[in-house]
Amino acid sequence: MSEHPVVHKLQLKILISDRTRHGSPLWSEHGLSVVAHCTYSEDREPVTILFDTGASASLLRHNLETEGPPTTDIDTVFLSHCHRDHTGGLSALLDDTDATFNLIAHPDITRRAFNLREGMKEVGPEPEVWEKIPRGNLLLLREPVQIHPGVWVSGSIPRETEFERPRPNMYTLSDGRLIPDTDPDDMALWFRLRDEGLVVLTGCGHSGIVNTIRHAAEHMETEHFRAVVGGFHLIEAKPDRISSTTEGLAKFDVQELITGHCTGRTAEDFFARSFGESHNAFCTGDRYQF
Ligand SMILES: [Fe+2]
Ligand SMILES: [Fe+2]
């Protein structure tokens, strides 16, 4: 019997992602939103977490109304980082007066972030969105914290590998100056399962997916990952970065890699070749149970 609080059953539903399956009534866009439903043994109440909100309020609203949980069932909204393809749908929930949830993110999520490749393109949400969140509902965390039984926020993810470097062109504003942005607000969720294995859920994995897994292994003192799920942001990566990532992933005991959103086709082809049936690519509407 585990001494740690654990999730008895974890269901993940990909509510929004970049790919659609034929005939799905759900809409897709470049973005990510995942519903995590945790049930427990004993008489503990289940917990529903909305991990990221996709890029647009209308799409989140449509997919929630079509196949999502009622907004009143959402206990926690977790934002993996500021980018608009993960935070753009938030206003749909803030405008929903029946919804009551805690919103959890990193304290640096409210900084202004820009892509400078073609002028100053703001990549975060409308700055006003932060003012619409009731103060008591916003929890900003930078350390690993257990937010529900067996469910952990990773806190800031240390950058340790050589090959997982911040992206060029990304800047933030500091005292009127543009300085390189290192995605300091990037965080993952960790779910500790009954067998002590972890499920790691990541938004874009801007800290590097190998760094993300390493941090979870160290902090949770586990070797075994039941699954690593999410966007790995290798969409613009060169083949050498992808092969270093593949080699780095192979060093961990990961039972299943489930990728989509900004992972990119080239990286997914590498993973399919290296990990065979242990790799799956997700589409909007897909469900996984652990
Ligand atoms: Fe993304
Ligand atoms: Fe991102």
Side-chain angles (χ1 to χ4, degrees):
M1 195 68 190
S2 171
E3 57 185 287
H4 302 290
V6 292
V7 176
H8 190 76
K9 200 159 73 179
L10 170 65
Q11 286 173 293
L12 297 181
K13 179 177 173 101
I14 310 297
L15 190 67
I16 299 171
S17 78
D18 303 45
R19 291 182 285 233
T20 312
R21 293 205 185 274
H22 181 68
S24 170
L26 301 178
W27 296 345
S28 290
E29 65 181 341
H30 175 61
L32 186 68
S33 178
V34 182
V35 179
H37 186 68
C38 307
T39 50
Y40 299 95
S41 54
E42 300 134 30
D43 2 308
R44 241 190 249 280
E45 289 288 306
V47 168
T48 301
I49 300 165
L50 187 71
F51 178 103
D52 289 341
T53 64
S56 51
S58 55
L59 206 135
L60 180 69
R61 213 175 280 125
H62 171 85
N63 286 7
L64 277 173
E65 283 168 10
T66 308
E67 277 189 16
T71 54
T72 47
D73 284 5
I74 299 171
D75 301 290
T76 296
V77 176
F78 172 79
L79 297 177
S80 65
H81 65 303
C82 71
H83 294 160
R84 201 169 291 190
D85 50 326
H86 300 252
T87 55
L90 182 59
S91 58
L93 295 168
L94 296 173
D95 294 342
D96 182 335
T97 48
D98 295 331
T100 53
F101 52 84
N102 286 325
L103 191 124
I104 297 181
H106 189 282
D108 291 332
I109 200 167
T110 58
R111 78 197 183 290
R112 304 286 290 274
F114 302 91
N115 185 337
L116 294 196
R117 198 166 40 184
E118 293 174 348
M120 277 179 78
K121 183 180 177 220
E122 184 140 29
V123 294
E126 305 289 336
E128 304 78 57
V129 80
W130 307 118
E131 282 142 40
K132 288 166 71 183
I133 302 164
R135 239 164 207 266
N137 293 1
L138 184 61
L139 277 170
L140 297 174
L141 306 167
R142 65 172 80 241
E143 299 282 328
V145 180
Q146 184 172 216
I147 54 167
H148 296 291
V151 183
W152 289 72
V153 167
S154 69
S156 307
I157 298 171
R159 290 3 182 217
E160 289 177 356
T161 58
E162 270 302 308
F163 54 91
E164 293 176 318
R165 293 265 157 249
R167 292 170 300 152
N169 304 321
M170 306 306 287
Y171 285 80
T172 185
L173 268 179
S174 171
D175 192 23
R177 287 197 179 84
L178 284 164
I179 58 168
D181 188 42
T182 57
D183 299 305
D185 57 328
D186 176 52
M187 297 200 292
L189 280 188
W190 307 330
F191 302 87
R192 197 199 288 275
L193 304 180
R194 276 173 299 167
D195 62 357
E196 297 287 297
L198 277 197
V199 172
V200 174
L201 184 54
T202 178
C204 282
H206 288 305
S207 312
I209 195 63
V210 176
N211 284 330
T212 303
I213 298 173
R214 181 189 284 203
H215 179 47
E218 275 176 21
H219 196 274
M220 301 298 273
E221 298 180 344
T222 186
E223 304 276 295
H224 175 58
F225 292 86
R226 174 64 188 82
V228 179
V229 185
F232 291 10
H233 207 89
L234 293 166
I235 197 160
E236 303 142 346
K238 301 256 163 33
D240 59 336
R241 159 86 190 264
I242 297 174
S243 63
S244 300
T245 302
T246 309
E247 282 164 30
L249 286 169
K251 291 183 182 145
F252 294 95
D253 171 21
V254 180
Q255 207 175 323
E256 218 175 340
L257 278 179
I258 303 173
T259 63
H261 179 46
C262 54
T263 306
R265 275 288 154 87
T266 312
E268 289 183 330
D269 287 347
F270 262 78
F271 296 157
R273 277 200 300 276
S274 301
F275 304 116
E277 290 190 349
S278 310
H279 172 254
N280 278 296
F282 64 71
C283 292
T284 304
D286 287 355
R287 293 162 196 263
Y288 301 92
Q289 190 161 301
F290 307 103

